[in-house]
Amino acid sequence: MSSTMWATTSAKPTPLSAKASSRRSSLCIVRCSLRDLRDRISSVKNTQKITEAMKLVAAAKVRRAQEAVVSGRPFSEALVDVLFNINEQLDIDIDVPLTRVRPVKKVALVVVTGERGLCGAFNNNIIRKAEQRMEQLKQLGIEFTVVSVGKKGNSYFQRRPYIPVDRFLESASLPTTKDAQAIADDVFSLFVSEEVDKVELLYTKFVSLVKSDPVIHTLLPLSPKGEICDVNGVCVDAAEDELFRLTTKEGKLTVERDTVRTQTTSFSPILQFEQDPVQILDALLPLYLNSQILRALQESLASELAARMSAMSSASDNAVELKKSLSILYNRQRQAKITGEILEIVAGANALA
């Protein structure tokens, strides 16, 4: 009989355990004292203040990151115009190391991640994109190595020694040309020394405050005309940027969108070059490489801050809902206690009468 009872009780462990756990959780909330509920409400309020402050800080940093992207845009556009017109005026193909196309046997993947967490699925998305690209290269029989940029990516690849990593790099809170130069020097040496035949840049492209896309761009070999392309060879140079600024509307924080078209001076078609075209391209192409890496770092930072702003906004909303439900529970329990005390007083008065 005992074995039968044991079999009967163990035959349905999942529903019973689920019901018991849900009943225990509900009873735990109901049985909390008024002091415990007050402490819980106070804790939720403090958490809401912290998430609201982090949201505003991230919003202010997003604005600065977008301004950095836009301010560097005229330089990149002018550099593209110079490279394009140099190639238009040349009738012969020039052999420059950064534009040399070779059969691809090994690929370097530059993976740009964030420096901190609390930004939703931002870091997971770009790491997942890198894993998918690694799997594609394995299926094609092509070797690869990783250049990791960012603390989150560094910690991820350090815990996986089976993934070949060439170098671990960390970026500053606001990317500078020095940070871009460190990455450019590493990929330049890998490509020129023919250790790798192609360099791909994986970063998160900033689309809007609520959307960012992990993308893969071919960094090396460069196009002689100063274009940066994706893995399919499609040019992905942006012609305009979107700015998002925070304003107050009816006492609430809102976001307004502005589209900024980059204005650059036209390149004179009659301009003549005194130096040899090879020397000019040797000087301009590394400069353009640095500018593209810097822009990718800036866009990745803007995407990270926007993701953190969105995550903190969701956390603040959840805190408001939790505070509301706890306040209702607190009021009900307090009212029940007051009603019980009144009933006790009335019962005592009736007993004495």
Side-chain angles (χ1 to χ4, degrees):
M1 183 180 296
S2 60
S3 61
T4 306
M5 291 179 62
W6 181 86
T8 303
T9 55
S10 62
K12 301 178 181 179
T14 305
L16 289 177
S17 60
K19 291 181 180 178
S21 61
S22 62
R23 191 179 297 116
R24 281 197 302 268
S25 61
S26 61
L27 288 176
C28 179
I29 295 177
V30 173
R31 290 178 180 176
C32 289
S33 64
L34 293 177
R35 177 177 295 179
D36 293 338
L37 285 174
R38 283 197 300 268
D39 293 341
R40 182 75 184 277
I41 293 172
S42 177
S43 175
V44 171
K45 286 181 179 178
N46 294 334
T47 302
Q48 181 186 356
K49 292 178 182 178
I50 294 173
T51 54
E52 285 286 350
M54 294 182 67
K55 172 185 173 181
L56 294 177
V57 170
K61 289 184 177 180
V62 165
R63 175 68 181 181
R64 290 201 297 268
Q66 293 176 105
E67 290 176 348
V69 173
V70 175
S71 62
R73 191 67 190 163
F75 173 77
S76 298
E77 289 287 339
L79 198 56
V80 169
D81 289 339
V82 172
L83 291 172
F84 184 81
N85 283 274
I86 289 176
N87 283 274
E88 287 293 320
Q89 295 183 21
L90 295 175
D91 297 331
I92 57 174
D93 294 332
I94 297 178
D95 186 15
V96 179
L98 292 180
T99 63
R100 194 172 299 158
V101 179
R102 302 188 294 265
V104 179
K105 299 179 181 178
K106 189 174 182 179
V107 177
L109 302 176
V110 182
V111 183
V112 182
T113 58
E115 293 290 311
R116 297 169 54 196
L118 295 177
C119 51
F122 169 79
N123 292 307
N124 291 336
N125 289 339
I126 189 64
I127 290 176
R128 190 180 301 114
K129 189 78 171 179
E131 288 180 340
Q132 292 174 357
R133 184 57 179 164
M134 293 176 196
E135 188 63 29
Q136 292 175 359
L137 294 175
K138 287 181 181 178
Q139 294 177 359
L140 295 174
I142 299 176
E143 299 180 2
F144 62 88
T145 185
V146 175
V147 178
S148 178
V149 182
K151 289 183 180 179
K152 289 298 178 180
N154 293 348
S155 61
Y156 176 84
F157 291 115
Q158 285 172 354
R159 292 194 302 267
R160 291 161 176 79
Y162 57 87
I163 298 179
V165 179
D166 179 74
R167 193 174 180 185
F168 295 100
L169 299 171
E170 293 183 4
S171 59
S173 57
L174 188 62
T176 60
T177 54
K178 184 178 180 181
D179 300 323
Q181 186 65 47
I183 302 173
D185 290 342
D186 189 47
V187 298
F188 181 85
S189 61
L190 288 174
F191 186 77
V192 174
S193 62
E194 298 187 3
E195 294 183 32
V196 298
D197 304 304
K198 187 180 182 182
V199 179
E200 294 179 355
L201 180 63
L202 290 81
Y203 70 99
T204 307
K205 183 177 179 60
F206 181 79
V207 180
S208 68
L209 289 177
V210 294
K211 183 182 180 182
S212 56
D213 297 329
V215 294
I216 304 176
H217 290 172
T218 299
L219 197 59
L220 291 174
L222 284 174
S223 169
K225 296 184 179 181
E227 297 175 344
I228 191 161
C229 305
D230 59 11
V231 291
N232 298 320
V234 179
C235 178
V236 293
D237 275 334
E240 58 186 22
D241 298 281
E242 286 188 333
L243 277 180
F244 301 86
R245 53 191 178 90
L246 294 172
T247 58
T248 55
K249 186 177 182 180
E250 297 179 356
K252 295 184 178 180
L253 195 67
T254 60
V255 179
E256 292 185 0
R257 176 183 301 186
D258 295 330
T259 302
V260 179
R261 178 76 184 187
T262 304
Q263 300 294 334
T264 57
T265 57
S266 59
F267 193 85
S268 175
I270 61 173
L271 189 64
Q272 296 182 354
F273 301 98
E274 295 183 356
Q275 292 179 321
D276 186 68
V278 176
Q279 296 179 354
I280 298 175
L281 289 178
D282 279 338
L284 291 182
L285 287 177
L287 195 60
Y288 182 71
L289 174 66
N290 295 355
S291 68
Q292 292 300 323
I293 294 176
L294 179 60
R295 181 176 175 86
L297 293 177
Q298 291 170 341
E299 289 210 14
S300 179
L301 176 63
S303 301
E304 178 187 356
L305 294 172
R308 182 170 294 113
M309 177 182 169
S310 178
M312 292 301 102
S313 178
S314 299
S316 299
D317 295 340
N318 293 336
V320 171
E321 292 295 328
L322 182 58
K323 183 176 65 174
K324 182 178 178 181
S325 61
L326 289 175
S327 298
I328 294 174
L329 183 60
Y330 173 79
N331 293 332
R332 287 177 179 174
Q333 195 164 339
R334 183 170 62 88
Q335 188 64 39
K337 183 179 180 182
I338 294 172
T339 304
E341 292 175 353
I342 293 174
L343 291 176
E344 290 177 1
I345 293 172
V346 171
N350 292 334
L352 293 175

